[in-house]
Amino acid sequence: MNTEQKLSVLADSGKYDLACSCKYDYEPGRVRGDAGKWIYPSALPGGRKMHLLKTLLSNECVNDCTYCPFNCVSNTQRCTLEPEELAAMFSRLKSARMVDGLFASSGVCGSTEKTMAKIIAVAEILRKKQHFRGFIHLKIVPGASDEAVRQAVMLASRVSVNIEAPSPERLAKLSRRKDFHNDIIRTMKKINEYKQLKKGSKGQTTQFVVGAAGESDREIVIATHRLYNGYDMERVYYSAFQNTASDEPAGDEGFVREHRLYQVDYLLRKYKFDKNDILFDSDGRLDLNRDPKQVWADSHPEFFPVNINRAGRYELLRVPGIGPVGASRIISRRRNGRITDASELAAMRVRHRLAGSYIVF
Ligand code: SF4
């Protein structure tokens, strides 16, 4: 295989990993492929207009993660890029103005240390030989040595290690070889430690695979809250498990679940919701039919109606249909006099039909 053929296989393999800044305003976060499965954007030679080359260095892997199409028992086409090949290809794509950043990840090819050495070598070539100053996201292999983590943090704009599951027990259902505390949590702590040594360092990100370990939404939300508050996580991503071994088109329920988890994530990060404000059924599941903010509002009738002309930012953000932008615009608009009807709210990016049941003027 030549480099382009390898990149074609490996960039396609990288589509399952969301833990990077791969979404741009002019393109959807993902699209449905012919087999009914979701495809995440990535850049390929001669391909669509995109900005981030997102690829694995290798899809060979000694690990046994049950959810992963590249685990050691799967029957898939394998290939490996050498660091020089990937760096040269990135440079060509960059010169052609097809990409302006790199997301590099890899299966565990031989050993963790050898794999990390290759990932780091790509960034070293780009930074030190090609003097590339743009965005590089390096995925750290769980269980990497402290020195490998340090080098990755120093070279990359952003690093991440995927948590995959909310607890040691759940992770044990997905892999016999990954240790939740030693391989993942310890690595996250090391990333934070080394980030302190680097000026202007961006936060780390991580990703859950949703629905592969029998975990509940409550378990994921509690773990997410802990990541944001205890591990200085910048973003948590959620990726619905897709059974790539099955020819059946992926069902929608997992993706609706993923969508609800993203809504909860926003509530935790942007709306000052606490984990105790997120409501679940007796099995720890989110309501798939309603936005979690609306579920909270409908369970707290004593909080409503909120007076749109008197409420503070906290109260406004509790109203379904009012987001951070809408709340700011309402507060700013009130300086010029009372808001008197719903049509005014529409111009402030408020979903006024939804908000209407929860507000008065
Ligand atoms: S370590 Fe990564 S590439 Fe290997 S089986 Fe697990 S998820 Fe897949």
Side-chain angles (χ1 to χ4, degrees):
M1 266 194 222
N2 64 29
T3 304
E4 288 210 5
Q5 288 165 332
K6 286 190 216 172
L7 192 59
S8 175
V9 171
L10 293 168
D12 187 59
S13 301
K15 69 194 176 193
Y16 300 101
D17 205 319
L18 301 183
C20 67
S21 310
C22 60
K23 185 174 182 300
Y24 289 87
D25 288 346
Y26 57 77
E27 66 188 14
R30 63 179 174 217
V31 292
R32 246 192 218 281
D34 293 342
K37 295 187 166 63
W38 293 97
I39 298 170
Y40 302 98
S42 56
L44 284 171
R48 294 184 293 154
K49 184 182 175 189
M50 292 176 188
H51 297 296
L52 198 65
L53 174 62
K54 189 172 176 227
T55 184
L56 300 179
L57 264 168
S58 175
N59 65 358
E60 292 182 36
C61 192
V62 297
N63 275 352
D64 61 350
C65 311
T66 54
Y67 55 88
C68 177
F70 317 115
N71 64 29
C72 55
V73 295
S74 86
N75 183 19
T76 191
Q77 184 181 28
R78 310 275 182 177
C79 59
T80 298
L81 282 166
E82 291 307 317
E84 296 75 14
E85 278 183 288
L86 178 55
M89 178 55 84
F90 176 78
S91 182
R92 280 205 292 283
L93 293 171
K94 173 101 179 49
S95 300
R97 297 174 183 269
M98 292 178 67
V99 297
D100 42 29
L102 173 72
F103 175 96
S105 180
S106 184
V108 183
C109 192
S111 71
T112 299
E113 281 315 287
K114 279 187 192 157
T115 306
M116 281 307 300
K118 285 191 169 189
I119 291 173
I120 289 165
V122 176
E124 267 182 334
I125 295 169
L126 293 181
R127 292 288 194 230
K128 295 180 182 171
K129 293 192 178 160
Q130 299 183 7
H131 306 291
F132 174 63
R133 295 279 162 263
F135 182 82
I136 298 177
H137 183 140
L138 298 182
K139 177 57 58 70
I140 294 181
V141 178
S145 70
D146 292 358
E147 178 54 18
V149 174
R150 188 191 69 76
Q151 288 183 48
V153 169
M154 293 303 156
L155 287 163
S157 316
R158 171 168 289 142
V159 298
S160 58
V161 57
N162 281 358
I163 191 166
E164 314 293 13
S167 66
E169 296 73 28
R170 294 297 182 190
L171 187 64
K173 292 192 171 188
L174 300 180
S175 170
R176 284 171 299 164
R177 300 189 186 170
K178 285 182 181 170
D179 182 281
F180 189 81
H181 288 294
N182 285 331
D183 294 339
I184 293 167
I185 299 298
R186 187 194 64 81
T187 303
M188 287 176 175
K189 288 179 181 170
K190 282 289 161 194
I191 291 171
N192 283 338
E193 207 177 299
Y194 294 128
K195 263 174 42 198
Q196 306 300 322
L197 306 175
K198 188 181 172 191
K199 206 173 157 195
S201 183
K202 287 188 167 65
Q204 59 173 313
T205 63
T206 192
Q207 176 174 295
F208 287 100
V209 56
V210 176
E215 77 292 330
S216 67
D217 296 320
R218 181 191 280 121
E219 288 173 71
I220 292 181
V221 170
I222 289 171
T224 295
H225 185 266
R226 198 179 309 126
L227 288 167
Y228 281 132
N229 292 285
Y231 295 89
D232 198 24
M233 199 59 60
E234 184 167 307
R235 278 298 305 274
V236 175
Y237 293 83
Y238 311 89
S239 180
F241 169 60
Q242 297 183 65
N243 187 355
T244 50
S246 163
D247 290 334
E248 292 294 309
D252 278 338
E253 187 172 318
F255 297 107
V256 177
R257 193 180 163 199
E258 178 193 291
H259 175 63
R260 295 293 176 219
L261 285 166
Y262 274 113
Q263 289 180 316
V264 169
D265 192 277
Y266 265 81
L267 294 179
L268 296 176
R269 287 188 300 118
K270 307 270 189 195
Y271 290 73
K272 297 198 183 312
F273 271 59
D274 183 72
K275 66 178 188 300
N276 297 324
D277 293 328
I278 309 301
L279 302 177
F280 306 93
D281 69 11
S282 56
D283 292 322
R285 288 180 301 215
L286 291 166
D287 187 333
L288 293 186
N289 298 313
R290 279 183 305 163
D291 179 330
K293 186 175 171 188
Q294 194 175 356
V295 172
W296 181 88
D298 293 345
S299 305
H300 290 81
E302 75 287 357
F303 195 87
F304 299 96
V306 164
N307 188 309
I308 214 80
N309 284 296
R310 288 206 298 263
R313 186 175 175 81
Y314 173 85
E315 285 78 22
L316 290 172
L317 283 176
R318 291 275 157 166
V319 177
I322 299 181
V325 173
S328 297
R329 289 184 179 173
I330 288 168
I331 291 167
S332 163
R333 161 64 186 78
R334 290 189 314 210
R335 293 188 195 114
N336 299 322
R338 288 176 57 77
I339 300 167
T340 52
D341 68 75
S343 62
E344 274 196 80
L345 295 177
M348 297 180 214
R349 281 191 43 190
V350 169
R351 292 165 63 200
H352 63 282
R353 286 198 184 84
L354 175 60
S357 323
Y358 303 93
I359 56 175
V360 289
F361 293 89

